Every structure is written in C-alpha cells, then in structure tokens.
Amino acid sequence: MTLWSITVLCALAALGVFGVWVFVLILGPNRMFRGTVVERAYFWVTESLPSKIERWARGSVGDAVAARAEQVWIVLFGRRNPLFQVIAVALYWTGVAVFFTQAAPYIPNRYVSSWQWLPIGTTLVANIGCYIAACTTDPGIVDDRNVDSACRLFGYDKLLYFERDCRTCKLRKPARSKHCSACQHCIQMMDHHCIWLNNCVGLGNARWFLGFLATFSIVCFYGAYLVGTVVMEQRHLRGLVSGAVVWDEWGQPIQLSFKSSILYILDNCPLLAVLFVLLLILAPAIGVFTAYQLRITMLGYTSNEESKWVNIADAIKDGVVFAIKDGSHEEAIRVIEKEDQGDFDSQLCRPITHLHQVPNVYDRGAWNNLKFVLHPARSKLHLL
C-alpha cells in the first residue's frame, strides 16, 4: 500500500468519524432514537465528554488556561463565526474543481450522453443559489419593530410555549421562537443554528435551507453516478474490460477481476478516487438529513421543538401530564407536578399515557405545513 493510499484512507476515516459526529448531534435528540445507542452517544458527546475534558483541563493545565480555552470554544461555536462557512465553501468548490478537471473531460461517454450537462448545470446553479439565500436571508429575527406581529403569528399552546418575555432580549417571546445565543436574537419558528451557513434556520429562510438540502442531495447522488460512469469508462480506455492484464513492478503479468480493475483505476486516479468515495459517503448522509427535515416540516414541528416533545414524553412517563376539561368541556393538555395534583378534581383530569394522545396544535396537515414553510407570506396565519 502506497503512502498516498494510506493518506486517502486516513482522510476518509476522519471524514467518516466527522459524519457520525454530525449525525449524532443532529438526530440524537430525535424521538425515533430514544433508548438507543444514538441517544446515549448524543448525551455522551454533549454532556459527559465536555465535562470530562473540562475537569482534565483544569487539573492538568490550570484554571487560567482552561478558561482561555473555553473562551476560544465560545468564539468558535457560541457566536456567529464565518470559519466553518469558509471551510464549507472551500470544500465545495474544491470538489467542483476536481469534478470538472478529473471527470468532466470523460463526459459524455458510453454510459451517459452529452445532454447530462443540462441537469448538471441546473442542479449546481440551484444548489449554490439556495445556499447563498439561506446564508443571507433574515431567518426571522424578532426586534421591537416586529415583535407584535410575530406574537400574533402563532398562539401559545401553554404546553410547549407560554406567554412571557425573553430573559435576554427583554422583548415578548413569540410562540415557536427561540433565543439564539450565537445570533443574539430570538428567531421566529427557529429550527437550529447552522455553523455551515453562519446563520440560523428559521421562518424566514427555512425554505432556502430545504432547497439547499434537496439540491445538495441531488448533487451528491447524481455526482456519484456520473463519476461512477467515468470510472467504468476508464476501464474501457485502459483495456481492462475483459481478460485485463497489468504488470507488477517486477514485470510479471497480473490478471485483474472486475473489482481489482476498479481498484486499479482508483489507485491511478487518486483525486477522482477521493471525490468518488466522498460522494458515496455524503449522498446517503445528506439524503437522510434531507428526509428528516422534510418529515418534521410536514409534521408541523421543528428540530428545536423535537427536544420539547422529548421532554413531554419524559413527563408522560413520570405521570404528570393530564388532559383537563374546562368550563366549555373542552380538553387542554397540561403538565401538573405531583405535589400539585391534589388541587385538581380527578373527574376533570384524564391522565395522558402516550405521546400520541397529545395533539400538536401547530400541525395543520402535511401539505399546509409544507406550504407555510415554502411561502410563509402567502399562507394564512396559524392562530389557535
């Protein structure tokens, strides 16, 4: 194995570890992974590991150095910072450059025709456009000029959201909003803060974020397919299709199988190999994340609200969630701590035993939820 091959394998291993880390951080709080190794890994990465590192740092290098390291961490991850955005853009354009220098000269080939350049160009332009829009569009910042209209957009369900002021902004906190410590604003219908965008994903730019994910998924899957056809074309051009024979460093003939011929080409085209393997790794990962974002959008909640629903599920297990009838005989879902349950009439309180019994008042049906995110200005207000 050559030094270059070892370097490529190490780089791909590092990329794989990074991909698993991102997967755990994004989907760890998801209800579908409750009680699984993914949830345990999420708590280990976000709670156990940082506390262990902090204890080790303070014991090894002293409080002063540990405090400075914490400040650096806050600058990198706790505030808006273009570093990761620059890294993402640099990696993206590096991949595009490798494609156009290593793969494009062999398109068209015996597997794909010249018309493939139309979807290639269209998808790349759409992907880049959606990324720029997601980065630059106001995600839904709440300030003193729009706080009243923002509070009218969604009602308070008194389960996930209560009418109160933001402790940081000192403004009324709209339902479905969250204060972002990185952006230092409350964001309407906030999903999450994305370091790759250097921006929050919220009501104002969620459609562009979905568009970016969808087109990036296509770029990765379609790119992997096209690079795969180039690798297959190389088999023909190098005479490795049938009865392929190459010579080793001692001049001895070696007959190659199909698998060996593919590995031989990838070993002789290292940049193409890195791009091919990278696309094969990214395509399913981005595809899964895109499907996840589309799913929660159509179900009428955000990834920020996902953690709130996890808390409600825990409260149901603890036996503190009830459906309470009011004077109009309608039921409202409320959390009643055990020490306060004696103050309520048991005939008017029905215990909730499963999360499916708790309606999401912000869910207006899959199609309407999607329409609201794609065209929030044209959609009707989601008033309770």
Side-chain angles (χ1 to χ4, degrees):
M1 183 176 290
T2 64
L3 178 61
W4 174 255
S5 300
I6 295 175
T7 304
V8 170
L9 288 176
C10 290
L12 293 175
L15 180 65
V17 172
F18 176 75
V20 171
W21 178 70
V22 172
F23 177 85
V24 168
L25 286 181
I26 292 174
L27 297 181
N30 194 289
R31 280 177 286 176
M32 71 175 69
F33 293 108
R34 286 184 60 79
T36 67
V37 66
V38 177
E39 183 187 44
R40 291 192 292 272
Y42 172 79
F43 285 112
W44 184 80
V45 169
T46 58
E47 296 181 9
S48 301
L49 181 61
S51 62
K52 290 179 180 179
I53 293 176
E54 182 180 4
R55 288 196 300 269
W56 172 84
R58 293 188 182 278
S60 302
V61 299
D63 291 341
V65 177
R68 181 58 61 88
E70 185 177 1
Q71 291 176 356
V72 172
W73 178 271
I74 291 173
V75 170
L76 290 177
F77 299 99
R79 295 288 184 268
R80 292 192 67 180
N81 189 315
L83 174 62
F84 294 98
Q85 188 180 28
V86 170
I87 292 174
V89 171
L91 290 175
Y92 185 94
W93 284 108
T94 299
V96 171
V98 171
F99 176 82
F100 277 97
T101 57
Q102 303 294 315
Y106 302 98
I107 299 173
N109 53 51
R110 68 192 70 228
Y111 299 99
V112 293
S113 59
S114 57
W115 70 265
Q116 300 289 335
W117 285 108
L118 179 60
I120 290 173
T122 303
T123 307
L124 282 175
V125 170
N127 186 231
I128 295 168
C130 287
Y131 179 78
I132 293 174
C135 291
T136 57
T137 301
D138 177 2
I141 293 175
V142 179
D143 55 30
D144 54 3
R145 296 170 298 178
N146 65 1
V147 62
D148 291 334
S149 60
C151 288
R152 290 195 300 268
L153 186 60
F154 298 103
Y156 298 94
D157 64 348
K158 296 182 175 58
L159 182 66
L160 303 181
Y161 298 101
F162 299 86
E163 189 170 0
R164 61 184 179 86
D165 292 343
C166 175
R167 290 173 294 183
T168 307
C169 296
K170 308 303 181 185
L171 296 172
R172 271 198 303 155
K173 193 175 182 66
R176 307 197 73 185
S177 69
K178 181 183 178 182
H179 185 87
C180 175
S181 58
C183 295
Q184 299 184 335
H185 288 285
C186 282
I187 306 297
Q188 297 180 63
M189 209 174 85
M190 178 174 172
D191 190 90
H192 67 287
H193 182 86
C194 181
I195 59 175
W196 309 111
L197 302 179
N198 194 31
N199 199 9
C200 279
V201 176
L203 180 63
N205 64 346
R207 54 179 173 173
W208 299 119
F209 182 67
L210 279 176
F212 165 71
L213 288 179
T215 53
F216 192 40
S217 296
I218 296 173
V219 166
C220 291
F221 278 107
Y222 194 43
Y225 166 71
L226 291 174
V227 174
T229 66
V230 170
V231 172
M232 296 297 293
E233 179 70 9
Q234 287 289 324
R235 291 183 69 242
H236 288 274
L237 296 177
R238 294 171 183 257
L240 304 177
V241 176
S242 58
V245 175
V246 296
W247 284 264
D248 62 18
E249 54 193 81
W250 295 283
Q252 300 297 318
I254 302 175
Q255 188 164 1
L256 298 181
S257 63
F258 173 80
K259 176 183 176 182
S260 297
S261 66
I262 296 296
L263 294 176
Y264 175 80
I265 293 171
L266 295 179
D267 188 54
N268 284 271
C269 304
L271 291 179
L272 191 67
V274 171
L275 179 63
F276 189 38
V277 176
L278 180 63
L279 289 172
L280 290 177
I281 294 174
L282 280 177
I286 300 299
V288 168
F289 186 48
T290 303
Y292 164 73
Q293 285 292 142
L294 184 61
R295 174 180 175 270
I296 64 174
T297 297
M298 299 184 75
L299 289 176
Y301 61 91
T302 64
S303 60
N304 169 55
E305 291 168 346
E306 181 81 42
S307 61
K308 294 180 179 292
W309 283 111
V310 169
N311 293 336
I312 296 299
D314 290 338
I316 291 174
K317 286 185 177 180
D318 293 338
V320 296
V321 181
F322 295 85
I324 304 175
K325 290 184 178 180
D326 56 19
S328 60
H329 300 289
E330 294 183 357
E331 289 188 334
I333 307 299
R334 298 289 182 267
V335 175
I336 306 175
E337 298 298 337
K338 291 186 177 180
E339 59 268 21
D340 299 325
Q341 291 177 12
D343 299 334
F344 290 83
D345 188 344
S346 59
Q347 295 182 347
L348 300 178
C349 295
R350 176 173 59 86
I352 299 296
T353 58
H354 198 279
L355 192 60
H356 291 309
Q357 297 174 284
V358 183
N360 177 12
V361 298
Y362 304 115
D363 180 11
R364 297 296 187 248
W367 176 240
N368 288 329
N369 293 333
L370 184 61
K371 280 199 306 181
F372 181 79
V373 169
L374 296 180
H375 299 288
R378 300 180 187 177
S379 303
K380 294 181 179 179
L381 297 183
H382 281 209
L383 297 177
L384 292 180

